[in-house]
Amino acid sequence: MSLLRRTLKPGPLMCLLLPAFLLGGVQAHSETLIAEDYPAPVKAVIEQRCMVCHGCYDAPCQLKMDAWIGLQRGASKDKVYNGARLLPANLTRLYEDARSVEEWREKDFFPVVDESDPHQGVMYQMLKLKEENPSSSSGKLPDTFDFSLNRDQSCPKADEFAEYRDERPLQGMPYGFPGLDADRQTLLTEWLDAGAPGKPVPPRSDDELRAVDAWETFLNAPDNKSRLMSRYIFEHLFIGDLYFEELGADPTWYKLVRSRTAPGQPIDLIATRRPYDKPGTDTFYYRLQSRYISRLAKRHMPYALSAERMDRWKQLFLEPEYEVTSLPSYKGKHASNPFMNFQQLPVEARYRFMLEEAHFTIMAYIKGPVCRGQVALNVIDDHFWVAFVRPNSVDPEQQADFLAAEAQEMRLPQAKGSLAITALQWRGYAKSQQKFLRAQAKAVAKVVDQESLRLDMDLIWDGGAEHNDNAALTVFRHFDSATVVKGFVGQQPETMWVIDYSLLERIHYLLVAGFDVYGAVGHQLESRLYMDFLRMEGEQAFLLFLPDGEREAVRNHWYRGAKDDVKKYIVSPKLEKFERPSAIEFQTDDTRSELMAMFKARIPSASNDRYAVNEKTLEALMQGQGRAFSFLPEVSFLQVLSARGEADVYSLIANRAHSNNAQLFAEEDRRLPEEDSLTVTEGFVGAYPNMFFQINEAQLPKFSKALRSLASPDDYTALVEAFGVRRTAPWFWKLSDDFTAQYKSSHPLEAGLFDLNRYQNR
């Protein structure tokens, strides 16, 4: 009996699959139709061999295979990431921007499976091409393989495949990796022979349906306080993967959406470019839409719903005595301004809503839909810590009035269609930011006596009595992707941010709610430009705790080589906010390092044992800086095999140093490789591994010495030759599968598939 017949037995269930497929595919907006997923054995192969490259928005040819309906949708010759796009692109979000396969065809997506003649389907032919022309089993692949992210993509339709086969005989799938083993090849080809059918997902349990009903009832309460609260919640959680915490460890994942239909009816999704865009109807409802998508480490952002969570939101938003006299509209330029729209909601409630899940809040910026974000991310350092101002540090009512009054100075960039980002625009934002900081200093002075507001550690949120572990975060930038983790992880970085409510809110609305991955390049560049000021504000808040005579020197070190405009408008000691002296008594001359140590001592969750490295040889790699680390890729996973047969996993994170991050372009010109560092962590940090290393315990000293001795690209190639796992290694997939399994085993709710699009060919 074939593998396919053993796993997909024909019968009434299979017959149920065909009508929906033939009528145009699963309609994602209607939950009364049978929801379908890959059959389990097929799904395992597609996840481990296909989704690792075909998952995020930058999946080659937009072939997103992370859901069965994505395979049915097919591929497109249009790119989501286009650095010269003057106008916004058409939206092609799976589950949102088309209701059927037929509608995707109207958007120029073409099929990759063929029902009538399966052997002519693109996916079938790609697999066969790889089987007939396997790539080398050792060494580096030839330069004819282009793995650059901005490479010209060849996205052949079925009738174009003969030409592709002739021109690219070695470029079957999986592209640039070992082919499938015989069993997996047979399983997929037989499944494709059968028409690539989906499998109905199991019906949701009564407990799950009751949970959905309870949450949709809560989010659609008719009173104004509830309606304004629900709008605020939606605009912050629309990007999350929601699950019911009480219902077990293998949850159904939901998206919070707006629907034209009420709870209890099939969802009629309102798909807008941004969550605060006009819904197009006066009456709509917040609904929980189940989505059957495999989890990708780059995109997965779990957020628990529970009875405790609902009670907390009631306590924050509904129990306080205040009145919502009218609801804000979705019209005009204020639709994207949270300080005006949500002025009637208590500021402390808004801040605590984001703060108590700060890892998720920052992760939405760090992850989000942006699978390739060099323009968005070169505004931040490669390694820095984040702490938060304690809630209610000043009178909350005064703060709400102040934020609404100063909303114009905190305006966020609107979508632009032009490539031109002028110095005049930069100065305009700089002047607005300067006005806001001055107004903020004056407002604080009105609320509290200058002497009573002490600039000391008491202003910093330590997680509260509940010891919330979101109080300390670490951000790692990996060139065009990034990772945020809980705790102060790694060696002490050069920079640190201190974030208050207004800054946290602006980061969210600039780079999550308001950022459009399909937008024109002008919008994306201007968003990056504005983020300059938000980064500087976070850094300045940290500098306030230093002795006032030392702040400028630290700022100048961070902004070596920055243009005069930056120093004049932002890195200025003349703002009133900087004139208040720090109340901290320092014991050493290295006040910056001493201050960072105080932050770490202040916050119990800052020391996160999850990432601590107990292996002394690897821990020593984090001591000091050096050019040797500049030859390493951004993220490497290291497997260390013990004599007992156990396998420990570490992440090697290369931190690139720059003279400053205050310039949009010419990043390479600002590199300071002699100041590069390496962070080593236990477990996994990063969604896009660039290299796998595999050694045994006895090789640790030799590996560490070779890494420390890197002096050229050739040295790095020798390191890969001795300890690395190249794309061509026959055991590549086995190691990749082991890493995925270990991640899922250790952190089942958080884990997702690693993306191999950035894996090196060295």
Side-chain angles (χ1 to χ4, degrees):
M1 184 181 292
S2 74
L3 286 171
L4 184 63
R5 292 194 184 96
R6 288 202 302 268
T7 55
L8 296 176
K9 296 179 180 179
L13 194 61
M14 287 291 290
C15 296
L16 286 174
L17 300 177
L18 295 178
F21 180 76
L22 294 174
L23 289 172
V26 176
Q27 294 185 19
H29 300 235
S30 175
E31 295 198 349
T32 59
L33 294 179
I34 297 175
E36 294 173 70
D37 197 358
Y38 296 102
V42 171
K43 184 174 184 176
V45 178
I46 288 181
E47 282 188 337
Q48 296 164 355
R49 301 294 181 268
C50 305
M51 291 184 201
V52 289
C53 289
H54 287 275
C56 206
Y57 282 97
D58 62 350
C61 307
Q62 290 198 61
L63 178 57
K64 278 172 54 63
M65 300 177 70
D66 52 338
W68 180 78
I69 64 167
L71 180 66
Q72 311 312 309
R73 176 181 79 163
S76 170
K77 293 180 182 289
D78 295 331
K79 291 184 178 181
V80 172
Y81 292 91
N82 183 343
R85 186 164 58 216
L86 298 181
L87 297 174
N90 292 326
L91 298 172
T92 58
R93 299 165 298 184
L94 201 60
Y95 274 101
E96 295 186 37
D97 297 315
R99 296 173 179 263
S100 67
V101 170
E102 291 173 344
E103 290 188 11
W104 286 119
R105 297 291 173 263
E106 293 173 2
K107 293 178 179 287
D108 294 329
F109 279 77
F110 58 86
V112 296
V113 295
D114 190 323
E115 299 169 63
S116 60
D117 189 355
H119 290 194
Q120 294 303 308
V122 173
M123 182 175 174
Y124 188 98
Q125 294 194 76
M126 283 289 189
L127 292 171
K128 280 295 184 183
L129 182 62
K130 185 73 172 191
E131 184 180 38
E132 294 166 359
N133 299 275
S135 54
S136 172
S137 59
S138 64
K140 178 179 175 289
L141 288 170
D143 293 338
T144 51
F145 285 85
D146 185 358
F147 298 110
S148 61
L149 289 179
N150 295 316
R151 65 183 181 270
D152 291 333
Q153 294 185 3
S154 177
C155 304
K157 298 180 179 180
D159 59 1
E160 300 168 340
F161 199 82
E163 182 180 355
Y164 179 93
R165 181 189 296 110
D166 292 342
E167 293 180 353
R168 304 166 185 251
L170 297 177
Q171 296 187 17
M173 297 296 158
Y175 174 70
F177 288 111
L180 304 185
D181 60 64
D183 284 350
R184 289 182 173 87
Q185 183 82 9
T186 300
L187 178 62
L188 284 194
T189 53
E190 290 191 351
W191 176 66
L192 292 168
D193 271 336
K199 179 181 179 181
V201 300
R204 289 176 290 174
S205 68
D206 290 342
D207 286 344
E208 190 164 354
L209 292 174
R210 280 191 289 270
V212 170
D213 181 67
W215 276 97
E216 290 187 346
T217 299
F218 171 68
L219 292 169
N220 290 290
D223 62 284
N224 277 0
K225 282 174 73 171
S226 294
R227 292 174 68 189
L228 190 58
M229 172 197 71
S230 295
R231 176 172 173 178
Y232 186 81
I233 290 171
F234 170 70
E235 291 186 11
H236 288 76
L237 296 190
F238 73 98
I239 200 168
D241 298 314
L242 312 182
Y243 68 99
F244 300 120
E245 192 172 38
E246 293 105 340
L247 297 185
D250 188 21
T252 301
W253 299 96
Y254 290 86
K255 288 291 184 182
L256 184 58
V257 300
R258 296 186 292 186
S259 172
R260 299 175 184 86
T261 49
Q265 301 177 35
I267 290 176
D268 185 8
L269 185 69
I270 298 172
T272 55
R273 191 173 284 267
R274 298 175 180 84
Y276 50 74
D277 286 346
K278 299 176 185 177
T281 176
D282 292 335
T283 303
F284 64 88
Y285 305 88
Y286 297 104
R287 304 288 303 279
L288 291 172
Q289 184 186 46
S290 54
R291 296 189 177 181
Y292 301 96
I293 296 180
S294 294
R295 288 179 281 162
L296 306 173
K298 170 63 187 80
R299 199 186 58 214
H300 182 53
M301 287 174 280
Y303 193 99
L305 300 179
S306 63
E308 182 181 5
R309 177 86 69 193
M310 189 182 293
D311 288 343
R312 180 57 172 157
W313 289 355
K314 289 177 181 178
Q315 182 185 28
L316 290 176
F317 292 106
L318 302 182
E319 293 176 6
E321 293 293 331
Y322 66 96
E323 185 178 2
V324 176
T325 56
S326 62
L327 296 172
S329 75
Y330 288 90
K331 298 178 181 179
K333 62 181 180 180
H334 300 315
S336 63
N337 196 311
F339 306 113
M340 300 185 71
N341 286 337
F342 302 110
Q343 182 181 359
Q344 297 172 93
L345 292 180
V347 168
E348 186 171 358
R350 287 182 260 163
Y351 188 27
R352 286 191 179 275
F353 173 84
M354 291 191 292
L355 186 65
E356 291 172 3
E357 293 293 343
H359 179 246
F360 175 89
T361 304
I362 298 296
M363 183 165 53
Y365 151 46
I366 294 298
K367 288 191 173 186
V370 186
C371 309
R372 189 187 307 171
Q374 189 219 352
V375 169
L377 292 173
N378 77 355
V379 72
I380 63 176
D381 286 281
D382 268 40
H383 179 209
F384 62 95
W385 291 346
V386 178
F388 301 90
V389 173
R390 177 171 50 82
N392 204 18
S393 296
V394 296
D395 184 273
E397 292 184 8
Q398 292 284 343
Q399 193 178 6
D401 293 341
F402 163 76
L403 291 171
E406 297 298 324
Q408 177 61 26
E409 303 302 345
M410 295 185 288
R411 68 190 188 280
L412 299 178
Q414 302 298 309
K416 302 291 185 183
S418 171
L419 277 168
I421 302 297
T422 67
L424 185 62
Q425 286 173 291
W426 195 97
R427 293 190 183 103
Y429 284 134
K431 289 179 179 179
S432 292
Q433 179 75 356
Q434 190 178 51
K435 289 178 182 177
F436 166 68
L437 292 176
R438 284 176 171 163
Q440 189 179 54
K442 291 178 181 178
V444 169
K446 289 180 181 178
V447 175
V448 295
D449 182 81
Q450 287 273 8
E451 297 301 320
S452 67
L453 182 64
R454 291 173 53 84
L455 288 174
D456 59 20
M457 287 292 105
D458 286 342
L459 282 176
I460 300 303
W461 184 53
D462 63 1
E466 300 81 10
H467 301 295
N468 189 306
D469 64 358
N470 288 270
L473 303 176
T474 298
V475 176
F476 294 100
R477 179 202 169 200
H478 321 299
F479 183 62
D480 60 0
S481 68
T483 306
V484 57
V485 298
K486 292 181 179 179
F488 290 158
V489 176
Q491 62 272 64
Q492 193 178 90
E494 283 291 313
T495 59
M496 182 172 178
W497 297 8
V498 175
I499 296 178
D500 64 5
Y501 163 67
S502 70
L503 179 55
L504 191 60
E505 195 77 274
R506 279 176 285 154
I507 289 173
H508 175 78
Y509 274 84
L510 176 70
L511 293 169
V512 184
F515 191 84
D516 180 12
V517 70
Y518 294 90
V521 67
H523 155 70
Q524 298 184 11
L525 292 175
E526 193 167 358
S527 296
R528 188 264 182 236
L529 185 75
Y530 188 85
M531 186 61 200
D532 264 342
F533 305 107
L534 303 190
R535 180 201 67 245
M536 292 174 188
E537 187 176 333
E539 292 171 341
Q540 286 175 348
F542 167 77
L543 293 173
L544 286 176
F545 293 89
L546 290 173
D548 52 354
E550 299 184 29
R551 296 167 184 165
E552 188 174 1
V554 175
R555 288 198 305 272
N556 288 341
H557 180 74
W558 288 349
Y559 289 90
R560 288 169 286 176
K563 295 181 179 179
D564 290 341
D565 281 345
V566 175
K567 296 178 180 179
K568 177 180 178 182
Y569 285 107
I570 298 300
V571 190
S572 169
K574 297 180 180 180
L575 295 177
E576 291 90 333
K577 190 173 179 180
F578 282 85
E579 293 180 354
R580 189 176 296 107
S582 172
I584 297 173
E585 295 184 7
F586 291 90
Q587 305 300 318
T588 70
D589 293 334
D590 187 358
T591 55
R592 182 191 61 82
S593 296
E594 187 178 352
L595 179 58
M596 284 187 166
M598 290 181 189
F599 273 91
K600 193 167 186 177
R602 161 77 175 173
I603 304 171
S605 64
S607 298
N608 189 342
D609 292 339
R610 168 178 169 177
Y611 300 103
V613 176
N614 297 316
E615 209 296 315
K616 298 302 181 183
T617 303
L618 292 176
E619 185 183 31
L621 289 172
M622 289 193 283
Q623 297 173 7
Q625 303 172 333
R627 183 178 291 271
F629 302 130
S630 69
F631 298 103
L632 290 171
E634 278 75 17
V635 177
S636 306
F637 294 160
L638 168 66
Q639 184 185 69
V640 180
L641 303 170
S642 73
R644 301 179 301 278
E646 298 172 349
D648 294 322
V649 178
Y650 302 90
S651 294
L652 309 179
I653 307 154
N655 305 311
R656 315 296 195 207
H658 301 82
S659 58
N660 69 79
N661 284 321
Q663 299 177 38
L664 178 57
F665 301 111
E667 179 175 353
E668 192 60 32
D669 294 342
R670 291 178 281 114
R671 283 280 287 114
L672 299 173
E674 64 278 2
E675 296 182 16
D676 284 2
S677 63
L678 183 71
T679 299
V680 184
T681 71
E682 182 89 24
F684 300 99
V685 172
Y688 292 97
N690 305 112
M691 180 57 65
F692 297 156
F693 292 101
Q694 188 178 45
I695 62 176
N696 59 54
E697 277 183 316
Q699 292 175 302
L700 269 169
K702 186 177 180 181
F703 173 77
S704 178
K705 182 179 180 181
L707 195 157
R708 279 277 192 190
S709 302
L710 295 176
S712 69
D714 288 342
D715 288 347
Y716 173 69
T717 300
L719 183 79
V720 172
E721 184 71 35
F723 306 108
V725 180
R726 286 195 168 104
R727 286 173 165 266
T728 55
W731 65 96
F732 176 88
W733 288 123
K734 171 64 168 61
L735 182 57
S736 177
D737 293 347
D738 286 349
F739 283 150
T740 300
Q742 187 163 346
Y743 192 20
K744 288 182 178 179
S745 174
S746 58
H747 298 91
L749 286 172
E750 167 195 314
L753 297 166
F754 298 115
D755 193 305
L756 301 178
N757 271 299
R758 290 158 174 77
Y759 202 84
Q760 288 186 332
N761 179 38
R762 294 291 297 270

